[in-house]
Amino acid sequence: MRLSDAIEQFIKTMLTQTEQEVELKRNELAEYFNCAPSQINYVLATRFTPDHGYIIESRRGGGGYIRIFRMEQDTSEQLLYLLHERVGDSISALEASHLIMQLHERELVTPGEAAIMQAAVSPSALSLPISTAMKDALRAKILKSMLLEVARKVKQ
Amino acid sequence: MRLSDAIEQFIKTMLTQTEQEVELKRNELAEYFNCAPSQINYVLATRFTPDHGYIIESRRGGGGYIRIFRMEQDTSEQLLYLLHERVGDSISALEASHLIMQLHERELVTPGEAAIMQAAVSPSALSLPISTAMKDALRAKILKSMLLEVARKVKQ
DNA sequence: AATACAATGGTCAAAGATGGTCAATGTATC
DNA sequence: GATACATTGACCATCTTTGACCATTGTATT
């Protein structure tokens, strides 16, 4: 069996029905599997992305860690759809606004959160001397970043 | 748990709703935690700055001390200050992050709202091929836009 | 008063402890 | 053999902890 598959299984075993979050130390895990620490990053990058329904959070330095959160299935599907099909690499102000309204309607965010999201991607927030295309690309990045955060909260 | 986190918690426990000020002896605290005295300075410098909403006052020599005050400002005053003095036309990622944390600590925003705000101004959300100065300016716009939304809600 | 000494706290650079990135290389699959 | 996937290692970034040396203030001695 491939090393990467073994590491993937190991992590997924820790993420059970009840445990939707796991914290690990990169170096410890690497030592346990007797591989390069960067191998852990490879596994995370190829099997624990938002696309797969996971959110990663980490911290360097003494007492550093890597935390993996598993998104709820229906939530993750909804958000992945939003992330890929509707946001993509570029999104207009109007489309973004509609999308945020729908998040609210589906109760994935509170009214207050929706209002803040609207404010963050509003035309006035992004009034810069750049092309509309650049703005749409920027808006997509900001929106996706916020959506990932929403996803992280929903599972908790 | 990290030493620095433990010391941070220790101090924050002393700063309760009623106790907005605490006085401590650097050497005593260091001995209590069995660490280098300068570790106390590190904690203060990274977790009790004005950005975090604290003011430090200290005195050397015999009977020396370190006093920590938690800033207390009324809501509208606070938001105007944040909007104009602290954000301005440009703000770094770190400063923005501290500001949002403070909003959360003062309960002007919910944890979910704070997380979304953090996501909106995070380095990854603004990873564009533009200069740092441009990013800081953009971040300021986005943050101010969101703060206006928060202020609108608080007033109601 | 002036001086010495003790008692504090402050600074800063180095070392330690983690995790991240990326390009080179190896391996399996078509 | 070409292509995609896996593995490694060198180098980088960030956060924490410590220690040597410095600055300030209070107190005891002259």
Side-chain angles (χ1 to χ4, degrees):
Chain A
M1 190 196 219
R2 278 187 219 90
L3 216 201
S4 48
D5 290 338
I7 296 172
E8 175 187 5
Q9 283 316 306
F10 183 86
I11 295 174
K12 285 189 171 165
T13 298
M14 292 201 274
L15 288 165
T16 63
Q17 193 88 59
T18 44
E19 285 302 319
Q20 301 190 52
E21 171 188 349
V22 63
E23 177 172 324
L24 50 88
K25 302 283 229 173
R26 191 179 75 148
N27 291 344
E28 279 181 15
L29 196 55
E31 190 166 2
Y32 178 77
F33 280 101
N34 203 32
C35 66
S38 55
Q39 177 71 9
I40 306 301
N41 295 84
Y42 175 73
V43 173
L44 295 180
T46 55
R47 293 142 161 95
F48 293 89
T49 66
D51 282 17
H52 294 100
Y54 298 90
I55 305 275
I56 306 288
E57 177 186 294
S58 68
R59 194 171 169 165
R60 305 182 187 188
Y65 57 79
I66 295 177
R67 286 193 192 122
I68 305 165
F69 303 85
R70 181 167 53 77
M71 283 192 262
E72 294 291 356
Q73 204 51 56
D74 57 340
T75 302
S76 115
E77 275 166 17
Q78 283 186 66
L79 287 167
L80 288 183
Y81 165 72
L82 293 174
L83 227 59
H84 286 117
E85 305 307 317
R86 293 199 49 198
V87 183
D89 292 332
S90 173
I91 189 169
S92 71
L94 192 59
E95 274 182 281
S97 180
H98 285 161
L99 191 153
I100 294 168
M101 272 195 279
Q102 284 172 22
L103 282 181
H104 179 198
E105 280 167 12
R106 294 184 204 176
E107 296 189 320
L108 287 172
V109 299
T110 66
E113 289 166 351
I116 285 174
M117 291 178 78
Q118 293 283 9
V121 297
S122 67
S124 67
L126 308 183
S127 62
L128 298 167
I130 59 177
S131 70
T132 303
M134 288 269 288
K135 283 183 193 176
D136 288 353
L138 171 59
R139 184 178 296 106
K141 283 203 172 197
I142 296 170
L143 191 50
K144 282 202 280 193
S145 177
M146 292 192 293
L147 282 175
L148 279 179
E149 198 51 51
V150 170
R152 216 180 63 126
K153 192 193 74 178
V154 170
K155 60 80 221 152
Q156 281 168 347
Chain B
M1 192 198 214
R2 281 184 215 90
L3 216 201
S4 47
D5 289 341
I7 297 172
E8 175 187 4
Q9 284 315 304
F10 183 85
I11 295 174
K12 284 191 170 164
T13 298
M14 293 202 276
L15 287 165
T16 64
Q17 195 86 59
T18 44
E19 284 303 319
Q20 299 186 45
E21 171 189 349
V22 64
E23 176 172 324
L24 50 87
K25 302 283 233 172
R26 190 179 78 149
N27 290 343
E28 278 181 16
L29 195 55
E31 190 166 2
Y32 178 77
F33 279 101
N34 203 31
C35 66
S38 55
Q39 176 72 8
I40 307 302
N41 296 85
Y42 174 74
V43 173
L44 296 180
T46 54
R47 290 140 162 97
F48 292 89
T49 68
D51 270 20
H52 291 98
Y54 298 90
I55 304 278
I56 305 288
E57 177 187 294
S58 68
R59 228 187 134 99
R60 304 182 187 188
Y65 58 80
I66 295 177
R67 284 191 195 125
I68 304 166
F69 303 86
R70 202 185 53 224
M71 281 194 274
E72 209 59 58
Q73 290 165 293
D74 79 74
T75 301
S76 61
E77 195 181 308
Q78 167 97 7
L79 282 171
L80 284 178
Y81 165 71
L82 291 176
L83 219 56
H84 294 113
E85 306 304 317
R86 279 187 65 191
V87 183
D89 294 330
S90 173
I91 188 168
S92 72
L94 191 60
E95 273 183 285
S97 177
H98 285 163
L99 191 155
I100 295 167
M101 269 198 276
Q102 214 178 312
L103 286 179
H104 176 201
E105 276 177 15
R106 295 184 185 299
E107 299 187 323
L108 289 171
V109 298
T110 66
E113 288 167 350
I116 286 174
M117 292 176 77
Q118 294 280 11
V121 298
S122 68
S124 66
L126 308 184
S127 63
L128 300 167
I130 58 176
S131 68
T132 302
M134 287 269 286
K135 283 184 194 178
D136 288 353
L138 171 60
R139 184 178 294 108
K141 285 203 172 192
I142 296 170
L143 190 50
K144 280 202 282 192
S145 178
M146 293 191 293
L147 284 175
L148 275 180
E149 198 51 51
V150 171
R152 233 181 45 149
K153 193 184 70 175
V154 168
K155 250 191 278 178
Q156 288 168 356

